[in-house]
Amino acid sequence: MIEQNELVRIGTMRRPHGKSGELQCQMDNAFWDEAEADFLILLLDGIFVPFRVEDWRGKGADSLIFRLKGVDTEAKALRLVNAEAYMLRRDLAEEAEEMMTWQDLTGYEVLNSEHVVQGKVAAVDETTINTLLELEDGRLLPVHEDLIIEIDEPQKRIILDLPEGL
């Protein structure tokens, strides 16, 4: 079974492209372009499902068109619309391997600017333009590069300059 810590999110499947099962993917980053990956992993009904990529090409500045093995009709492609798209972390280009993603913060302890513990990150929600850290107690905290004071990778801690009231 594929675990989330083995993956890096790359985008969201948006719509079928044509009648032969191709899918347009809205990309969050350029990791796929720089990698040598054979599989696209889609989150379907809470399970990470691998699809062998038969072909892919760019479409515009931030979209790719994928042809996936076994997805050969528009009806099959429609079932994959809005699925989150991932790739295996091991397939990242070497320079990208060193880069941290928001998903890497899962399991980190969150502290505010006064070093008061807010909780531990249970999940990261990137489904909207505002990325949110979901803490184990269910609270949601905004996260953005401008809010990060420090990331301590060995201690698995992140210190955020949180807006007042959070």
Side-chain angles (χ1 to χ4, degrees):
M1 191 158 113
I2 301 169
E3 299 292 330
Q4 185 154 1
N5 63 355
E6 300 174 73
L7 303 172
V8 60
R9 181 184 156 97
I10 59 167
T12 305
M13 304 312 278
R14 287 294 174 213
R15 63 183 186 85
H17 183 80
K19 304 280 183 197
S20 64
E22 291 183 321
L23 282 151
Q24 181 175 334
C25 184
Q26 180 74 37
M27 304 305 288
D28 294 341
N29 50 54
F31 292 154
W32 184 270
D33 293 340
E34 300 163 5
E36 302 244 353
D38 294 324
F39 291 92
L40 185 67
I41 315 297
L42 301 181
L43 182 60
L44 302 171
D45 298 324
I47 299 170
F48 294 108
V49 181
F51 288 87
R52 181 172 291 281
V53 176
E54 292 184 338
D55 192 25
W56 66 275
R57 64 187 182 280
K59 181 178 190 233
D62 58 356
S63 291
L64 297 178
I65 304 295
F66 285 95
R67 185 173 49 218
L68 306 174
K69 186 171 179 79
V71 182
D72 53 5
T73 67
E74 184 178 18
K76 289 179 182 177
L78 277 169
R79 291 186 221 153
L80 305 178
V81 168
N82 293 325
E84 293 179 24
Y86 296 82
M87 64 182 288
L88 292 168
R89 186 173 296 278
R90 69 173 186 231
D91 291 338
L92 288 172
E94 281 186 40
E95 56 274 4
E97 275 186 58
E98 304 299 320
M99 294 173 52
M100 187 173 224
T101 67
W102 294 125
Q103 296 297 327
D104 292 331
L105 295 176
T106 302
Y108 273 58
E109 188 174 52
V110 178
L111 292 84
N112 66 15
S113 56
E114 285 84 37
H115 296 270
V116 175
V117 175
Q118 301 297 302
K120 194 175 246 185
V121 178
V124 178
D125 181 354
E126 295 182 81
T127 58
T128 65
I129 196 163
N130 298 312
T131 303
L132 300 170
L133 300 178
E134 181 180 343
L135 302 183
E136 289 176 337
D137 65 4
R139 287 185 299 150
L140 298 173
L141 297 178
V143 67
H144 185 275
E145 292 172 6
D146 295 344
L147 297 176
I148 297 172
I149 296 171
E150 179 185 343
I151 296 178
D152 183 346
E153 289 185 61
Q155 296 292 317
K156 294 194 89 156
R157 297 174 122 189
I158 181 170
I159 302 171
L160 297 176
D161 184 16
L162 295 170
E164 189 145 337
L166 288 180

